Amino acid sequence: SAEEDLKKAIINAEFYVDGEHIEIKSGDAKSKLDQAMEYLVTHVYSELSLITKNAETDEDILAVLRGDHLSGVMAGMEANHDAAVNMEEYLEMQDTKKLPTSMADVQSRYQGIPYGWKEIDIAAVMAQLIYNQKVTVKYAGTTIQPGDKKLPDMLRKKSEVGKTIVSKRINIA
């Protein structure tokens, strides 16, 4: 009976999410709670939708570094394109301020609000910038080549990201 009473209370409840009253018109108790949680996630993590394809393993990161993410896709339409543009703008801003940026800084920024990206997705987006020759990666002072098999670790492993410096690549015209 307690479970039924809770379900009735949820169904008839007024919902407030992140300080805002939201109207949830129909559905059972689970559906209403799911809608409230979805609203909260999209409201708090407003930039979460920039990640259009999630990475699952280091092999996915290596595939991006090889350019596999571009097969049969028009330029500018590849997965996570807008996320890469956002990250590139961040690196340009850091470069303008003459601030060194570690991969730990990038991971921290994009895991937090309003992004909420997973650490592996951040590494995959950075790999996209590396493949497109928009970023230079240095590890312990040495420039790392895009084909380096240890690059996924440098982009996401907690013990490595602090030593990995990423910067906007300067193209000489």
Side-chain angles (χ1 to χ4, degrees):
S1 108
E3 185 177 337
E4 289 304 313
D5 288 344
L6 277 173
K7 285 181 182 177
K8 283 180 193 171
I10 291 170
I11 289 170
N12 298 320
E14 294 281 325
F15 284 85
Y16 289 84
V17 179
D18 197 29
E20 288 184 41
H21 180 264
I22 63 169
E23 196 68 40
I24 300 178
K25 302 225 183 285
S26 63
D28 61 359
K30 182 187 180 319
S31 170
K32 286 192 170 202
L33 288 175
D34 287 347
Q35 289 175 57
M37 292 304 291
E38 182 179 334
Y39 179 86
L40 179 62
V41 168
T42 58
H43 190 261
V44 172
Y45 294 106
S46 57
E47 303 296 325
L48 186 61
S49 62
L50 292 177
I51 298 293
T52 56
K53 182 176 183 209
N54 296 100
E56 301 298 327
T57 65
D58 283 354
E59 182 52 43
D60 293 339
I61 296 169
L62 290 168
V64 171
L65 289 167
R66 288 191 303 266
D68 295 354
H69 66 293
L70 296 175
S71 61
V73 179
M74 288 182 0
M77 300 302 289
E78 66 273 10
N80 302 332
H81 173 76
D82 293 339
V85 168
N86 187 297
M87 193 176 284
E88 184 180 1
E89 288 170 356
Y90 168 66
L91 292 173
E92 283 175 4
M93 181 180 68
Q94 294 293 92
D95 183 59
T96 301
K97 294 177 182 176
K98 304 288 185 225
L99 293 172
T101 307
S102 72
M103 199 56 207
D105 298 331
V106 175
Q107 286 283 356
S108 175
R109 173 184 173 87
Y110 287 101
Q111 285 180 22
I113 295 171
Y115 299 97
W117 302 351
K118 294 187 310 184
E119 146 254 290
I120 193 167
D121 291 329
I122 297 166
V125 171
M126 184 60 73
Q128 201 170 326
L129 292 175
I130 294 166
Y131 176 80
N132 292 331
Q133 299 183 0
K134 306 267 187 181
V135 171
T136 300
V137 179
K138 289 189 177 185
Y139 181 80
T142 305
T143 301
I144 304 301
Q145 297 305 311
D148 193 313
K149 298 286 184 227
K150 293 180 183 170
L151 198 47
D153 287 346
M154 294 175 201
L155 298 179
R156 62 182 292 229
K157 227 182 195 184
K158 290 199 186 324
S159 61
E160 307 298 316
V161 292
K163 301 175 209 166
T164 306
I165 302 299
V166 291
S167 59
K168 180 80 176 104
R169 185 173 179 170
I170 289 115
N171 294 325
I172 300 167

